[in-house]
């Protein structure tokens, strides 16, 4: 595989995990209201607004986890605690934690 093919696969995988895979999470764990759960998890993408405070905004060689405020270990601990609430808060927590997992995998499982 060429470097450009790897970069394309990395980008596809990243956006698949952020935008498509939450549908499967919603269907498995929130079958009755899967569409609502999916939209809530999709809304957790707003956590990436903290990227606008970085310079540069996007740096492929930078790990988001531990760098951006809403991607900090303290924030992740709060997201974990939100799992113990019921209803939409739990769905938000799942979306945020899966987002952090995706960003972690994106940086640590690919050759940079």
């Amino acid at each position: 595989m060429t470097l450009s093919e790897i970069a394309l696969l990395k980008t596809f995988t990243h956006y698949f995990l952020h935008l498509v895979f939450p549908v499967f999470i919603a269907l498995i764990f929130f079958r009755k209201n899967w569409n609502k759960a999916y939209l809530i998890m999709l809304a957790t993408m707003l956590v990436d607004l903290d990227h606008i405070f970085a310079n540069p905004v996007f740096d492929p060689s930078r790990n988001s986890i531990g760098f951006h405020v809403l991607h900090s270990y303290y924030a992740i601990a709060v997201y974990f605690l939100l799992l113990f609430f019921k209803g939409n808060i739990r769905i938000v927590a799942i979306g945020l934690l899966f987002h952090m997992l995706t960003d972690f995998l994106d940086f640590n499982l690919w050759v940079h």
Side-chain angles (χ1 to χ4, degrees):
M1 243 182 180
T2 67
L3 286 178
S4 63
E5 290 171 332
I6 291 171
L8 184 63
L9 182 60
K10 177 183 177 181
T11 301
F12 174 81
T13 302
H14 181 82
Y15 287 106
F16 175 84
L17 289 175
H18 273 321
L19 302 172
V20 179
F21 195 79
V23 170
F24 300 110
I25 295 172
L27 286 169
I28 292 168
F29 295 105
F30 306 99
R31 182 168 288 286
K32 278 179 113 173
N33 296 314
W34 71 269
N35 49 353
K36 176 184 167 187
Y38 171 67
L39 290 175
I40 291 171
M41 284 187 273
L42 205 56
T44 64
M45 295 291 288
L46 291 171
V47 75
D48 276 340
L49 286 174
D50 63 356
H51 289 246
I52 63 174
F53 299 108
N55 187 13
V57 172
F58 176 72
D59 181 358
S61 64
R62 179 174 61 217
N63 187 356
S64 294
I65 305 300
F67 183 83
H68 302 290
V69 174
L70 297 175
H71 290 67
S72 69
Y73 295 106
Y74 296 111
I76 293 169
V78 170
Y79 306 154
F80 179 78
L81 291 175
L82 293 176
L83 285 173
F84 296 98
F85 289 80
K86 292 185 178 186
N88 294 341
I89 299 296
R90 183 175 290 163
I91 298 169
V92 168
I94 292 167
L96 289 168
L97 289 170
F98 190 74
H99 182 100
M100 298 303 132
L101 176 65
T102 297
D103 285 0
F104 175 83
L105 294 174
D106 187 53
F107 183 79
N108 290 297
L109 291 184
W110 297 93
V111 178
H112 6 270

